[in-house]
Amino acid sequence: MRVICAPDKLRGSLDAAATAAALAAGVRAAGGEPVEHPLADGGEGSRGTVQEARGGTVLDVDAVDAFGRPWRAKVGRLDDGTAIVEAAEAVGWGALAEGERDPMRASSAGLAAPLLAAAEGGARRVVVFLGGTATMDGGTGLLASLGAEILDAGGRRLPGSGADLAHVHSVDLAPARERLKGVELVVAADVVSPLYGPQGAARVFGPQKGADPDMVEVLDDGLRRLAPLLGVGSGTGDGADAAPGGGAAGGLGAALLSLGARMVPGAGLIRELTRFDDLLAGADLCLTAEGKVDASTDAGKTIRAVVDACAEAGVPCVVLGGTLTPDAQRLYERGATAVLSIGPGPRDLGTALREAGADLTATAYAVCRMMRPGSIVT
């Protein structure tokens, strides 16, 4: 029995590769032939996930981190010439000390260097994976570093940061667009939040990036005023008229959209880039997993993309989750064969995280025993 092991990470416990390996161990113990194919949803780890499946080369680029300190960002290059940049590898948490969070100071400027390196290296298609950034500057740091003129009311240039949002008076995007002329920008995001409003970047993601309630108000007001300057919303109302995904990565989504980028769901793009559908030819079963299976899973996370692909290919798909909410049942409507808990029963979070690998292996073993030809359940 050929079994595709295609999970996302289990946040706080195992990365996607380790999760796939744990599933494969259970498949192997049950006498099956596992194929490990870790996936992602467009956030942290997405570039590495794609290149693990596709190969290619990686270029280290001199850049700066979210606080302007020297940092090395990465540009991936696939065999078809597509370049891949992950925002989290440029202005994410990796360069920051424990507890070092300051959304007013943080800037997305560090993403400019890998983008320019990709363009200047001859890439005509650049995929930018969003998510996992330490920033909440609406992408103003990135735009300024690409050459956009971001001015305050006195005509002074602003370098772009969370604090600068309150002072932005005008934005001229032409210089930045010129530097990326001829490049197809594809932006992958795992969220559809608009730039501002109740579901916008500051209110939904600001607190986890270190914003207190007062900061959230200041940031949301700044992003609201920035939206019409970037052409991604009117800046009025609740943000319902703003571009979906503009709030991704602290507003980097809006900045890239203003440069002409096309935004697509991250999980679906990774399905395409890793050529996941090709693996399903001749497969007998697919096992996928993530830490929490809830309403957001069905809205476009990795698991939804896997279930959809399996349904199209006619391959049984079993979903495993560390936590299953009632909304997990929606996956049956998508074509999932079963939606099961990773562990054997209720337990405290610490134990569940520690035992996740062993639990995955045991559950994968049990599923394969039940699903193998000639078993009672097929």
Side-chain angles (χ1 to χ4, degrees):
M1 184 166 66
R2 183 167 175 267
V3 182
I4 311 301
C5 301
D8 200 341
K9 61 184 173 295
L10 302 186
R11 190 180 296 276
S13 180
L14 303 172
D15 63 20
T19 303
L23 291 171
V27 173
R28 203 172 290 113
E33 174 193 346
V35 177
E36 297 176 37
H37 192 81
L39 292 170
D41 58 14
E44 306 100 306
S46 293
R47 181 200 58 77
T49 294
V50 171
Q51 294 205 266
E52 181 70 23
R54 289 281 300 276
T57 58
V58 180
L59 173 68
D60 286 324
V61 178
D62 287 328
V64 293
D65 69 10
F67 292 159
R69 301 170 299 208
W71 181 247
R72 298 282 280 176
K74 298 182 183 296
V75 178
R77 192 72 178 262
L78 302 183
D79 53 9
D80 63 1
T82 297
I84 304 176
V85 175
E86 182 180 317
E89 291 184 323
V91 290
W93 301 107
L96 308 186
E98 184 70 26
E100 191 176 22
R101 297 168 185 248
D102 188 347
M104 304 305 287
R105 175 185 165 203
S107 168
S108 58
L111 185 58
L115 278 182
L116 290 172
E120 292 165 1
R124 287 295 170 261
R125 183 192 190 206
V126 179
V127 172
V128 184
F129 287 114
L130 298 183
T133 71
T135 59
M136 189 57 67
D137 68 345
T140 53
L142 167 65
L143 294 173
S145 293
L146 289 175
E149 291 187 353
I150 302 177
L151 307 179
D152 66 12
R156 291 180 292 271
R157 281 181 176 267
L158 297 172
S161 67
D164 281 347
L165 288 173
H167 307 289
V168 176
H169 180 72
S170 67
V171 178
D172 180 3
L173 295 168
R177 288 173 173 164
E178 182 64 27
R179 296 191 75 179
L180 296 176
K181 186 176 180 179
V183 174
E184 178 193 2
L185 281 176
V186 180
V187 178
D190 62 352
V191 300
V192 294
S193 300
L195 185 58
Y196 60 90
Q199 301 303 314
R203 297 193 186 284
V204 175
F205 303 110
Q208 63 189 243
K209 298 189 181 192
D212 62 28
D214 290 338
M215 288 181 189
V216 167
E217 294 301 323
V218 171
L219 289 166
D220 185 63
D221 182 65
L223 293 171
R224 180 182 297 276
R225 291 187 298 102
L226 179 67
L229 299 177
L230 299 184
V232 297
S234 66
T236 61
D238 62 3
D241 68 333
L252 269 171
L256 290 162
L257 286 171
S258 76
L259 296 176
R262 174 170 58 92
M263 184 167 288
V264 299
L269 182 61
I270 290 178
R271 170 183 166 184
E272 171 198 328
L273 290 173
T274 63
R275 297 172 177 166
F276 174 66
D277 292 33
D278 294 347
L279 288 180
L280 295 177
D284 300 297
L285 173 65
C286 179
L287 298 177
T288 187
E290 68 177 359
K292 186 175 184 179
V293 183
D294 56 14
S296 67
T297 301
D298 184 59
K301 295 283 190 175
T302 299
I303 304 307
R304 162 74 182 277
V306 171
V307 171
D308 286 347
C310 289
E312 293 168 17
V315 174
C317 181
V318 175
V319 176
L320 305 179
T323 299
L324 303 178
T325 73
D327 290 310
Q329 302 302 307
R330 296 182 191 178
L331 293 175
Y332 285 111
E333 299 172 14
R334 301 286 178 192
T337 303
V339 181
L340 307 172
S341 175
I342 290 171
R347 53 176 59 178
D348 65 90
L349 179 60
T351 300
L353 294 177
R354 286 193 304 273
E355 300 297 325
D359 288 343
L360 283 164
T361 297
T363 304
Y365 172 83
V367 169
C368 288
R369 293 280 296 181
M370 289 188 292
M371 299 288 290
R372 66 183 180 178
S375 63
I376 296 175
V377 180
T378 60

